[in-house]
Amino acid sequence: MKKMRILIRYECELSWKYIWIFYLAIAIVFPTVYGLLYLLTHETGRINCLEMNTMIFVGIVGMMQINEDFRMLMQNGFTRAYIFSATAAQFAFISGLMSLIDTAAGMVLRGLLSGLFDYETIFESLYGYGHPAVLRWLWLFLVYLLISSLGFFFALVINRVPKKLSVFAVTILAALLLLGIPFLFAAVSAPWKAVGHSILSFAVRCFGFMDDGTVRLTNPIFLLLLCIGILSAGSYLIIRRTELSAVRKSALTLN
C-alpha cells in the first residue's frame, strides 16, 4: 500500500503542474479575445469556452498517459495493476478538481458577465437552471472522467496494433461516422420509423429527458458510470497484456 500511495501522490502532483498551466493560459487568452471582440464589434452574445477546452485537455491527458508513464513505472518495479489503479486515481483527481473549478467559475462568470455576455455552462444549456450545484459538479466530473478514460482506452488500443493499421482504422472510423450519420437519419424516417422512434425515445430517457417533460439527472449519472466502468474494464484487460517494448520511452523518472 505504501508503494501505491507514493505512486498516486506522484501522479497527482504531476497532474497539478499541468492543471495550473492550463488555467493560467485560459485566464490570459480568453479575456483578451472576448475583450477585443467587444471593443471591435460592440456586440454581446452567449459564450461558453471553459468546459469545452477542459474536455479537450482531459482527453489529451488520457491519450498521453500510457506513453508518458507506463515504461518508466514498469522499470521502477510497479506492477500493471498498480499502474492502472494510479492512472484511475489520477483521472479522478484531474476530473474532480477541474469540474469543481469549472462549476464554480461558471457560477461566478454568470454573475460577473451579466449584461455584457451571457455565460452558459454545458450543463445549464442541456438541463436548465435551478439544479443543485453538487449535481452540476457530479455530472461534469463524470463527463470529464469519461473523456479521459475514453482517451486512455483508445491510446491502449492504438499501442496494441501496428502504426499503419491504427491510422487506417481511425480513418475508416471517421469515414463511417461522416457517411453513416445521414444514412442513420434516413433509416429512422424510412419504413421502420416506429422502431427508430422507440430507440430514440429510449436514448433520450437515458440522458435524463423524460416523456412528461421533466428531467431526471440520475439517468445520465448512471449512464456515465456504466460507460466509465466498461472503458475501465477494457483498459485493464489491455494493459495487462501490453508489452514494455510496445510503448515509447519516457524521459521521466520516479524518485
Side-chain angles (χ1 to χ4, degrees):
M1 290 302 294
K2 183 179 179 181
K3 292 185 67 175
M4 176 62 74
R5 288 196 299 269
I6 294 173
L7 183 53
I8 292 176
R9 180 180 177 182
Y10 163 77
E11 295 288 4
C12 292
E13 288 179 351
L14 186 64
S15 301
W16 171 247
K17 298 176 184 178
Y18 298 130
I19 291 173
W20 77 260
I21 292 173
F22 168 80
Y23 282 114
L24 178 62
I26 292 292
I28 294 173
V29 172
F30 283 97
T32 303
V33 171
Y34 282 107
L36 289 174
L37 287 175
Y38 179 73
L39 291 175
L40 293 175
T41 63
H42 298 285
E43 293 181 357
T44 61
R46 179 174 297 177
I47 62 172
N48 182 350
C49 54
L50 184 56
E51 292 159 326
M52 292 299 298
N53 285 277
T54 305
M55 289 179 184
I56 296 172
F57 175 82
V58 298
I60 293 174
V61 169
M63 295 185 69
M64 295 288 290
Q65 181 65 20
I66 183 63
N67 288 329
E68 291 298 329
D69 287 353
F70 184 78
R71 176 183 290 272
M72 181 271 296
L73 294 175
M74 288 288 293
Q75 291 172 343
N76 278 270
F78 292 95
T79 65
R80 286 172 169 79
Y82 272 33
I83 295 172
F84 174 79
S85 300
T87 300
Q90 180 192 29
F91 290 163
F93 171 77
I94 294 173
S95 302
L97 180 59
M98 299 188 79
S99 60
L100 181 62
I101 295 173
D102 291 354
T103 300
M107 298 170 64
V108 172
L109 290 174
R110 184 167 179 79
L112 289 178
L113 299 180
S114 179
L116 183 61
F117 288 101
D118 184 15
Y119 187 88
E120 188 175 63
T121 65
I122 295 176
F123 179 90
E124 290 168 343
S125 64
L126 289 173
Y127 298 105
Y129 304 90
H131 298 283
V134 65
L135 285 179
R136 284 180 276 172
W137 167 80
L138 179 59
W139 181 87
L140 193 60
F141 163 66
L142 293 176
V143 169
Y144 290 168
L145 188 57
L146 174 64
I147 294 173
S148 58
S149 300
L150 185 63
F152 185 62
F153 176 78
F154 277 118
L156 286 169
V157 171
I158 291 172
N159 270 292
R160 289 283 295 175
V161 300
K163 185 176 180 180
K164 291 182 179 180
L165 181 59
S166 65
V167 172
F168 177 76
V170 170
T171 304
I172 293 295
L173 179 61
L176 288 175
L177 288 174
L178 291 174
L179 297 176
I181 290 175
F183 284 105
L184 178 63
F185 281 107
V188 170
S189 59
W192 22 301
K193 184 175 181 180
V195 177
H197 177 73
S198 300
I199 296 173
L200 181 61
S201 179
F202 174 75
V204 168
R205 288 197 299 272
C206 287
F207 283 96
F209 303 102
M210 310 310 293
D211 295 334
D212 58 0
T214 59
V215 173
R216 185 178 297 173
L217 290 176
T218 54
N219 289 11
I221 289 174
F222 283 126
L223 177 63
L224 290 168
L225 285 171
L226 177 62
C227 294
I228 292 169
I230 293 172
L231 288 172
S232 299
S235 297
Y236 180 69
L237 292 176
I238 296 174
I239 204 171
R240 287 183 59 186
R241 294 167 175 79
T242 299
E243 298 296 333
L244 192 61
S245 59
V247 183
R248 70 175 176 85
K249 294 182 179 180
S250 174
L252 297 175
T253 56
L254 183 60
N255 296 323

